Amino acid sequence: MASSCCSTPPIRDSRQVIEVYDLSKVKLKYCGVHFNSQIISPTIEQIDQSFGATHPGVYNAAEQLFHLNFRGLSFSFQLDSWNEAPKYEPNFALGLASLQIPHGATVKRMHIYTGNNLQETRAPVMPLACFLGNIFAECVDVLRDRAGPLGLKLRLLTAGCGLGVMADAKVRSLERNIYFGDSCQDVLGALGSPHKVFYKSEDKMKIHSPSPHKQVPSKCNDYFFNYFTLGVDILFDSTTHLVKKFVLHTNFPGHYNFNIYHRCDFKIPLLIKKEGSDSQTEDGILTTYSKWDQIQELLGHPMEKPVVLHRSSSANNTNPFGSTFCFGLQRMIFEVMQNNHIASVTLYGAPRTSSQARSGSSSSSH
C-alpha cells in the first residue's frame, strides 16, 4: 500500500495499528477478490459481499463514524450527513445491510491490527516457526550510574527446544546483563554466537580526537559482534578483547541500514541536573520512539556542532536517504535522521575492572 495513504499511530501500551485513511490510492482484495480499487468502491454492500456477516457495529457520536469490526480488521463509515445514528434492526437474511446504513455508504478509514477489536489490539506474537534458532530482544534496558551508561539488561525471547516434535514447544523468556569491560567469553556465554563479526579496517573518526597525532597506530583492529535480531552491535577492544561500546539500532524507514537490524526496543533512564541545584534526579526515560527535539528538551542542547555521517556502498554511489548527524550527550552518541527520528544510539564508558566484569557476568549467565 502506498505510504501517502497509510499511517502508523504512535506506539502506546505495545499496541500497533495500520491505518488506511485514503482508500482511493490503494487496491485491496480479500480471498483473491477485490473489494476496493479504482473501479470498485468499498460500499457497505461490497463489504458485506466480500467479508460476510459480523457482529453489530459501533457508532461513535463524537466522530460521527460507524465502526464495523472483523477479527483483525475494522471499517469506519462517515455519518456526518445523516440526521441520526443508525438503528439496529437485525435481519439475518439481509446481512449487514439490515443495520440501516444508507445504500452506497463508503468506507472512510480502515484499520488493520492483531486481535478481536481495535481497542484491545497488541503487537503480534512471533510464531515459533519464525525463530529458526535465533534469539530476539523483547526489550533492552540501559544500566547506568550518575556518570553514565554501565551496560545493557536484555530481556530475550527464544523458541524452546527438546526431544520430540511437541517437547517444550513454547517461547522461552530469559534475562542477560552485559557490561562495559566484559570479555568476549562473557558475551558469548550470555547471548550466544553473533550473526556476524565485523573488523574495523581503520578508525576514520580519530580526526575528531583532541590529539590525533599522539595516538599510536594499533597493530590489530577493533571488532564488532553484530546481533541483527537483537538490534545491537557490541564493539570489542582489539588489545584487551573487552567491551568498549554498544550500538542500539532503531530500524526506522529512511535510514541507510533499514531492515538490516530488528528494532531494538530500548529504554534509557536519565539523570538531569536541575537548575539551581547541585544534585541530579532521574527525570524521564528515552525510548526507541523518542525524537531528537524531545531529547534536547530533557538533556539540553549539545555544546559542539554535530558530526555529519555519510554512508554509501562505494565511492561512486550516492546514499538516497542523505546524511545523518551525530550528537554527543552524557556518554551517548545520538545518530539523528533528517526527519528528527533517532537512527541509533551509541553507548560508551570507562571499562570496569576484571573483578567487576567477572561478578557481573556470573550473575547473568544462567
Side-chain angles (χ1 to χ4, degrees):
M1 292 179 286
S3 59
S4 60
C5 61
C6 305
S7 65
T8 302
I11 305 300
R12 297 186 295 271
D13 303 328
S14 300
R15 293 183 293 169
Q16 293 188 351
V17 178
I18 298 175
E19 177 186 357
V20 183
Y21 56 83
D22 189 349
L23 279 82
S24 65
K25 296 183 179 180
V26 294
K27 295 173 63 176
L28 303 172
K29 63 173 64 175
Y30 177 69
C31 292
V33 179
H34 282 94
F35 65 91
N36 175 73
S37 67
Q38 294 180 348
I39 60 175
I40 301 177
S41 298
T43 63
I44 181 62
E45 291 80 16
Q46 183 64 50
I47 299 301
D48 184 13
Q49 179 181 353
S50 299
F51 292 89
T54 185
H55 300 290
V58 179
Y59 176 65
N60 188 318
E63 298 179 346
Q64 292 187 319
L65 290 176
F66 183 81
H67 303 289
L68 201 58
N69 300 315
F70 296 85
R71 184 184 298 274
L73 189 64
S74 176
F75 297 101
S76 300
F77 297 85
Q78 184 69 54
L79 305 184
D80 52 359
S81 61
W82 299 358
N83 295 326
E84 57 183 355
K87 299 178 180 179
Y88 301 103
E89 296 180 2
N91 184 332
F92 296 105
L94 297 178
L96 298 182
S98 66
L99 300 182
Q100 294 190 357
I101 299 179
H103 177 76
T106 59
V107 176
K108 181 177 179 62
R109 293 202 304 263
M110 183 182 75
H111 295 88
I112 306 171
Y113 50 87
T114 298
N116 295 324
N117 57 70
L118 187 59
Q119 289 69 35
E120 299 178 0
T121 183
R122 291 184 177 273
V125 178
M126 187 167 61
L128 288 175
C130 295
F131 279 88
L132 299 176
N134 292 305
I135 58 171
F136 295 85
E138 183 179 17
C139 61
V140 176
D141 294 324
V142 175
L143 306 173
R144 63 165 300 158
D145 58 10
R146 292 188 177 275
L150 296 175
L152 304 179
K153 179 180 180 181
L154 302 99
R155 182 175 177 84
L156 306 174
L157 298 176
T158 183
C161 58
L163 299 176
V165 178
M166 297 301 294
D168 197 20
K170 296 181 179 179
V171 176
R172 293 180 57 200
S173 176
L174 54 150
E175 289 186 355
R176 295 290 185 265
N177 291 357
I178 305 294
Y179 298 94
F180 292 114
D182 279 358
S183 66
C184 280
Q185 291 80 3
D186 294 328
V187 175
L188 291 172
L191 303 180
S193 299
H195 296 91
K196 184 178 180 180
V197 179
F198 175 78
Y199 291 88
K200 297 176 63 175
S201 58
E202 54 187 359
D203 189 2
K204 298 178 181 178
M205 299 299 289
K206 66 182 179 182
I207 193 174
H208 298 285
S209 173
S211 303
H213 60 281
K214 295 182 180 180
Q215 295 185 2
V216 178
S218 176
K219 297 180 180 180
C220 303
N221 297 325
D222 292 348
Y223 53 95
F224 284 97
F225 277 7
N226 304 126
Y227 290 94
F228 297 124
T229 58
L230 303 182
V232 175
D233 291 331
I234 303 175
L235 178 65
F236 291 91
D237 186 270
S238 61
T239 303
T240 63
H241 302 285
L242 301 180
V243 175
K244 60 188 298 186
K245 287 183 182 179
F246 297 101
V247 184
L248 313 179
H249 298 272
T250 63
N251 194 37
F252 274 109
H255 187 257
Y256 184 78
N257 291 332
F258 175 63
N259 237 12
I260 294 178
Y261 295 85
H262 281 242
R263 177 169 295 172
C264 179
D265 191 5
F266 59 79
K267 295 180 180 179
I268 306 176
L270 299 180
L271 291 175
I272 302 176
K273 185 176 181 180
K274 298 296 184 180
E275 294 184 4
S277 175
D278 295 332
S279 61
Q280 287 182 325
T281 58
E282 185 172 330
D283 187 8
I285 294 179
L286 299 184
T287 70
T288 309
Y289 309 100
S290 299
K291 294 187 177 181
W292 177 235
D293 54 358
Q294 299 170 337
I295 295 174
Q296 291 184 100
E297 290 179 2
L298 295 173
L299 298 181
H301 294 267
M303 299 298 294
E304 298 181 358
K305 293 183 178 180
V307 174
V308 182
L309 184 60
H310 302 278
R311 285 188 174 92
S312 62
S313 57
S314 68
N316 296 324
N317 288 348
T318 302
N319 180 1
F321 305 109
S323 304
T324 55
F325 304 92
C326 297
F327 299 88
L329 289 169
Q330 296 190 7
R331 282 177 23 194
M332 296 178 287
I333 300 174
F334 297 91
E335 183 187 356
V336 183
M337 301 167 60
Q338 297 184 19
N339 60 6
N340 204 32
H341 282 286
I342 303 301
S344 67
V345 179
T346 301
L347 313 174
Y348 60 94
R352 289 147 43 97
T353 63
S354 58
S355 60
Q356 288 176 316
R358 285 194 296 269
S359 62
S361 61
S362 61
S363 63
S364 63
S365 295
H366 298 286

